[in-house]
Amino acid sequence: THKPTPLEWDVCAETDRDLEIEGAEIIINNLNFQGPDSNADGVLRYRDVVPNAPGGQQIDLVVSVATGSDYRLADPSFNGKWEQFAQINVRDNEPSTLQFQFVDSNTNEPVELTRFVITVFDIDQQLDSSVQRETVCVDADDVYDIIAAGGSLNEMGSLEAITTDYNENSVIIELVEESCQGGSGRSYRVHSTQPGWICDNPTDPLDLSPVTCEDCDCKDNQKQYYPISRDLRAAMFAYSGPTSSFEITFEVICEASSDRCSNDDIPRGRNFIFGGRSALCAWPIQAPTTVPTLLIPEISLISVSVFDQIGQAIVFDAADDISANEEISFEIIIESNKALEFNIKVNLCLAAQNGADDPCALSVGTVMDVTTTLNQGLTTIIDSYDLEVLDLEPRDDYRFVIFVTPEDHQRRLQSSLLEGDINLEETTRFYTGLFSILFPTTIAPSVVFIPSTGETLMPTSSPAPTSSPAPTSSPVPTSS
């Protein structure tokens, strides 16, 4: 029994820092010098895993073997990432205590964090539980709270209340009167109770919804275990800090005959996947941080309209030259979750040929280049350009491409544009889509592209309005 702790920190209400593996780059993958990388330090290192770090600091997560422990794996190709999670392979009956340390990406100096969470997902076992069962262990003095499908240990007051009493198919968590490595102290040990297959592995830490037999095309001897409630197979550990490192012990227990467990001839093991926040908490839509002004920006392109200076249709005849009077205007509507200075560029390009990846490989020129401050909410940006400067020939394959450059290149931007999230690392631009004006065809008064649907609206009425029509729906930026 665990005595309820007065809640100095309601874990599921807010965190100071968040661990995100999805967009992290693996720069070293050679844990305990067992590969798959070679000629590298004996660590597993993920680049830039704390997107809401103070001051835009870039923080890496370095995984190494803890003092007093060893680490052996069955297959190095499994180490690294699985979908949106970090993944580590562990060999049967080789308990491995690993140290997880936050360091500055540039200086390698340790970075202390406060109030963050780590979730281990998909804690399961073989159909024959004597062959392989998974166990995860953390030292009790290191963690502030444990959250399972039944709730928070600090709130509920007992391990049984958040696991066994909540659902008999849940993982089991026990408090043991020794450390994870067998020394003095106490530890929490999370044990699998139910079999699992690759099909039921989660792919999104915020989606632990049940998986049905039909989802997995399960076999007859597996049907009794479905539906699989994936939230029952996860445990989230909360660290109040400040701390720059923590340890977790992973173990695959095999009690079968030696030919069914890992041996010198056939190494066997299982994969453990972990990340930060998870669906074990009903997080606020926009959780507050200790420094609200450092909210990671999220932008959505709502619409782009192209029209001439008096709101009429842009009409060219194949025999006409483009005169000095042909001035076109651009109206761009962008939604942002915070005020942020941005540079918006509109480039006119020839259509990409032969499936080229770069839509501006045949660039004609920049027709708009303006630095502006995006407001929180909707911002309308209007500018114009004289087409004569470009010396265009009448044709039907010109494209307009929008480029967005943030003031702070170290921040990653998430945008619900076209292909989904686009990470901006240290580059200075990315394209959000193609916007066509057709020559010499007579086009509608306003060409409006709506990224949420991929649809180009070409109204037939004339004259065109001098401003873009209100979008029928605003895409909601994907949460980071």
Side-chain angles (χ1 to χ4, degrees), residues 212-231:
T212 67
C213 188
E214 290 73 18
D215 294 332
C216 288
D217 191 23
C218 65
K219 300 177 182 178
D220 288 342
N221 65 338
Q222 301 171 355
K223 290 182 178 179
Q224 61 179 308
Y225 300 103
Y226 286 87
I228 291 176
S229 298
R230 295 180 292 184
D231 59 335

Side-chain angles (χ1 to χ4, degrees), residues 56-279:
Q57 182 181 21
Q58 195 173 62
I59 298 175
D60 294 356
L61 176 65
V62 180
V63 185
S64 60
V65 180
T67 302
S69 181
D70 194 8
Y71 169 74
R72 298 183 69 192
L73 48 69
D75 187 342
S77 67
F78 287 112
N79 273 4
K81 293 172 72 174
W82 159 268
E83 297 290 344
Q84 298 181 31
F85 309 93
Q87 178 171 273
I88 293 177
N89 182 258
V90 176
R91 186 179 293 196
D92 293 354
N93 297 325
E94 297 281 352
S96 301
T97 301
L98 303 179
Q99 181 189 68
F100 299 79
Q101 185 175 40
F102 299 109
V103 301
D104 185 281
S105 298
N106 298 312
T107 67
N108 286 322
E109 290 296 320
V111 178
E112 290 188 335
L113 301 183
T114 58
R115 301 205 310 177
F116 63 93
V117 297
I118 301 293
T119 306
V120 181
F121 301 84
D122 196 46
I123 303 171
D124 56 16
Q125 60 196 38
Q126 287 276 18
L127 187 61
D128 180 352
S129 61
S130 70
V131 177
Q132 287 179 328
R133 300 193 312 275
E134 294 179 0
T135 293
V136 178
C137 181
V138 296
D139 286 335
D141 291 340
D142 293 344
V143 295
Y144 172 83
D145 197 3
I146 298 178
I147 293 91
S152 157
L153 175 59
N154 283 346
E155 290 183 348
M156 303 299 292
S158 76
L159 294 168
E160 293 78 11
I162 65 173
T163 55
T164 310
D165 290 352
Y166 173 74
N167 190 300
E168 62 181 5
N169 293 322
S170 171
V171 295
I172 292 176
I173 305 177
E174 61 175 343
L175 179 62
V176 179
E177 295 297 325
E178 66 178 14
S179 71
C180 292
Q181 294 197 57
S184 61
R186 299 186 307 163
S187 59
Y188 292 112
R189 305 195 179 194
V190 185
H191 303 286
S192 64
T193 62
Q194 299 296 313
W197 297 269
I198 293 178
C199 173
D200 61 72
N201 289 2
T203 58
D204 181 342
L206 298 179
D207 180 8
L208 298 180
S209 55
V211 175
T212 67
C213 188
E214 290 73 18
D215 294 332
C216 288
D217 191 23
C218 65
K219 300 177 182 178
D220 288 342
N221 65 338
Q222 301 171 355
K223 290 182 178 179
Q224 61 179 308
Y225 300 103
Y226 286 87
I228 291 176
S229 298
R230 295 180 292 184
D231 59 335
L232 300 179
R233 303 177 176 207
M236 185 163 63
F237 308 110
Y239 296 84
S240 59
T243 183
S244 62
S245 66
F246 57 92
E247 294 181 356
I248 300 179
T249 300
F250 302 97
E251 183 176 7
V252 179
I253 300 172
C254 185
E255 299 173 327
S257 58
S258 59
D259 61 322
R260 301 184 67 192
C261 297
S262 181
N263 54 64
D264 292 338
D265 295 326
I266 305 177
R268 294 184 174 93
R270 291 180 73 84
N271 300 320
F272 292 86
I273 59 176
F274 62 90
R277 286 189 176 198
S278 71

Side-chain angles (χ1 to χ4, degrees), residues 110 276 345:
K345 292 184 180 180

Side-chain angles (χ1 to χ4, degrees), residues 376-395:
Q376 184 172 358
L378 296 180
T379 300
T380 300
I381 302 163
I382 298 178
D383 203 353
S384 60
Y385 194 82
D386 188 341
L387 286 177
E388 185 186 34
V389 178
L390 298 178
D391 192 24
L392 298 178
E393 296 293 333
R395 57 188 299 156

